[in-house]
Amino acid sequence: QVQLVESGGRLVQAGGSLRLSCAASARTFSNYFMGWFRQAPGKEREFVAAISRNGGSIQYTNPVKGRFTISRDNAKNTVYLQMNSLKPEDTAVYYCAAGSMWSARPNAYDYWGQGTQVTVFS
């Protein structure tokens, strides 16, 4: 069982930056692929970024490429999402997820955090 706790979401002006963190309870954190997803009101949960177990492989959805950076620190059992040049369309609840396979599909992940709200105003 893995418990995930996100933090770092808040209200921010367009063009600003935020860093989201996701702390995992598992001592085997390094065994998991990690992903960030987001869900805006009235929309389906969508893939944002994923990182492999050792951080060597990374994938982003096109709308965030060049603005967001996913990283992980296995010694701290934490995955991060650095978000720069934020836009109002980035407004959503952001979730981190842990899984045993590399995927951009939400149903491929086994464990989810409770989410953290990011609101970008213009």
Side-chain angles (χ1 to χ4, degrees):
Q1 187 75 10
V2 179
Q3 291 183 330
L4 302 171
V5 179
E6 302 97 333
S7 61
R10 63 175 176 87
L11 186 68
V12 63
Q13 191 169 17
S17 298
L18 283 178
R19 189 176 83 155
L20 305 183
S21 299
C22 172
S25 64
R27 288 184 290 178
T28 56
F29 175 73
S30 60
N31 289 348
Y32 292 93
F33 295 92
M34 298 298 297
W36 283 99
F37 293 78
R38 64 186 181 186
Q39 189 166 17
K43 295 187 177 181
E44 293 186 353
R45 190 167 299 189
E46 66 172 355
F47 171 76
V48 176
I51 189 167
S52 61
R53 288 173 288 195
N54 65 359
S57 295
I58 287 174
Q59 181 182 358
Y60 297 100
T61 186
N62 284 337
V64 310
K65 283 182 180 178
R67 300 189 298 121
F68 290 12
T69 303
I70 188 172
S71 63
R72 67 189 296 164
D73 185 338
N74 287 342
K76 295 183 178 180
N77 286 6
T78 302
V79 62
Y80 304 97
L81 186 67
Q82 177 67 43
M83 305 188 294
N84 299 329
S85 302
L86 283 160
K87 304 176 181 180
E89 51 264 43
D90 294 319
T91 294
V93 177
Y94 283 72
Y95 298 89
C96 71
S100 56
M101 61 183 295
W102 177 258
S103 179
R105 296 179 294 110
N107 60 10
Y109 289 79
D110 303 308
Y111 304 101
W112 292 83
Q114 83 290 345
T116 186
Q117 176 71 48
V118 173
T119 303
V120 184
F121 66 94
S122 57

